mmCIF file of all heavy atoms in Angstrom:
data_model
loop_
_atom_site.group_PDB
_atom_site.id
_atom_site.type_symbol
_atom_site.label_atom_id
_atom_site.label_comp_id
_atom_site.label_asym_id
_atom_site.label_seq_id
_atom_site.Cartn_x
_atom_site.Cartn_y
_atom_site.Cartn_z
ATOM 1 N N PRO A 333 -48.141 -191.142 78.368
ATOM 2 C CA PRO A 333 -48.154 -189.705 78.094
ATOM 3 C C PRO A 333 -49.273 -188.934 78.793
ATOM 4 O O PRO A 333 -49.195 -187.717 78.917
ATOM 5 C CB PRO A 333 -48.312 -189.632 76.573
ATOM 6 C CG PRO A 333 -48.881 -190.942 76.167
ATOM 7 C CD PRO A 333 -48.397 -191.948 77.173
ATOM 8 N N LYS A 334 -50.279 -189.633 79.280
ATOM 9 C CA LYS A 334 -51.394 -188.944 79.950
ATOM 10 C C LYS A 334 -51.332 -189.022 81.468
ATOM 11 O O LYS A 334 -52.007 -188.264 82.155
ATOM 12 C CB LYS A 334 -52.717 -189.514 79.467
ATOM 13 C CG LYS A 334 -52.990 -189.234 78.015
ATOM 14 C CD LYS A 334 -54.335 -189.758 77.583
ATOM 15 C CE LYS A 334 -54.576 -189.438 76.128
ATOM 16 N NZ LYS A 334 -55.868 -189.965 75.673
ATOM 17 N N GLY A 335 -50.562 -189.971 82.016
ATOM 18 C CA GLY A 335 -50.572 -190.116 83.463
ATOM 19 C C GLY A 335 -49.249 -190.532 84.080
ATOM 20 O O GLY A 335 -49.179 -190.743 85.286
ATOM 21 N N GLY A 336 -48.202 -190.638 83.288
ATOM 22 C CA GLY A 336 -46.925 -191.103 83.811
ATOM 23 C C GLY A 336 -46.251 -190.072 84.697
ATOM 24 O O GLY A 336 -46.078 -188.918 84.307
ATOM 25 N N ALA A 337 -45.872 -190.496 85.883
ATOM 26 C CA ALA A 337 -45.282 -189.577 86.864
ATOM 27 C C ALA A 337 -43.770 -189.746 87.008
ATOM 28 O O ALA A 337 -43.174 -189.223 87.942
ATOM 29 C CB ALA A 337 -45.958 -189.765 88.217
ATOM 30 N N VAL A 338 -43.149 -190.475 86.074
ATOM 31 C CA VAL A 338 -41.699 -190.666 86.137
ATOM 32 C C VAL A 338 -40.987 -189.783 85.109
ATOM 33 O O VAL A 338 -40.030 -189.090 85.453
ATOM 34 C CB VAL A 338 -41.318 -192.149 85.938
ATOM 35 C CG1 VAL A 338 -39.815 -192.343 85.983
ATOM 36 C CG2 VAL A 338 -41.988 -193.018 86.992
ATOM 37 N N VAL A 339 -41.477 -189.793 83.856
ATOM 38 C CA VAL A 339 -40.857 -188.962 82.823
ATOM 39 C C VAL A 339 -41.860 -188.231 81.929
ATOM 40 O O VAL A 339 -41.507 -187.250 81.282
ATOM 41 C CB VAL A 339 -39.894 -189.783 81.922
ATOM 42 C CG1 VAL A 339 -38.714 -190.299 82.708
ATOM 43 C CG2 VAL A 339 -40.606 -190.912 81.211
ATOM 44 N N SER A 340 -43.096 -188.688 81.874
ATOM 45 C CA SER A 340 -44.040 -188.155 80.885
ATOM 46 C C SER A 340 -44.770 -186.897 81.339
ATOM 47 O O SER A 340 -44.619 -185.833 80.733
ATOM 48 C CB SER A 340 -45.049 -189.240 80.491
ATOM 49 O OG SER A 340 -44.384 -190.295 79.836
ATOM 50 N N VAL A 341 -45.572 -187.003 82.381
ATOM 51 C CA VAL A 341 -46.340 -185.862 82.870
ATOM 52 C C VAL A 341 -45.598 -185.177 84.019
ATOM 53 O O VAL A 341 -45.570 -183.959 84.124
ATOM 54 C CB VAL A 341 -47.754 -186.297 83.332
ATOM 55 C CG1 VAL A 341 -48.503 -185.140 83.967
ATOM 56 C CG2 VAL A 341 -48.536 -186.858 82.150
ATOM 57 N N GLY A 342 -44.991 -185.985 84.869
ATOM 58 C CA GLY A 342 -44.213 -185.468 85.990
ATOM 59 C C GLY A 342 -42.908 -186.229 86.100
ATOM 60 O O GLY A 342 -42.705 -187.236 85.436
ATOM 61 N N ARG A 343 -42.027 -185.715 86.941
ATOM 62 C CA ARG A 343 -40.724 -186.339 87.150
ATOM 63 C C ARG A 343 -40.527 -186.544 88.655
ATOM 64 O O ARG A 343 -39.566 -186.070 89.248
ATOM 65 C CB ARG A 343 -39.624 -185.503 86.525
ATOM 66 C CG ARG A 343 -39.810 -185.353 85.003
ATOM 67 C CD ARG A 343 -38.668 -184.641 84.329
ATOM 68 N NE ARG A 343 -37.553 -185.516 84.017
ATOM 69 C CZ ARG A 343 -37.476 -186.307 82.960
ATOM 70 N NH1 ARG A 343 -38.484 -186.386 82.113
ATOM 71 N NH2 ARG A 343 -36.407 -187.043 82.746
#
Side-chain angles (χ1 to χ4, degrees):
K334 294 183 179 179
V338 179
V339 295
S340 295
V341 174
R343 299 186 84 82

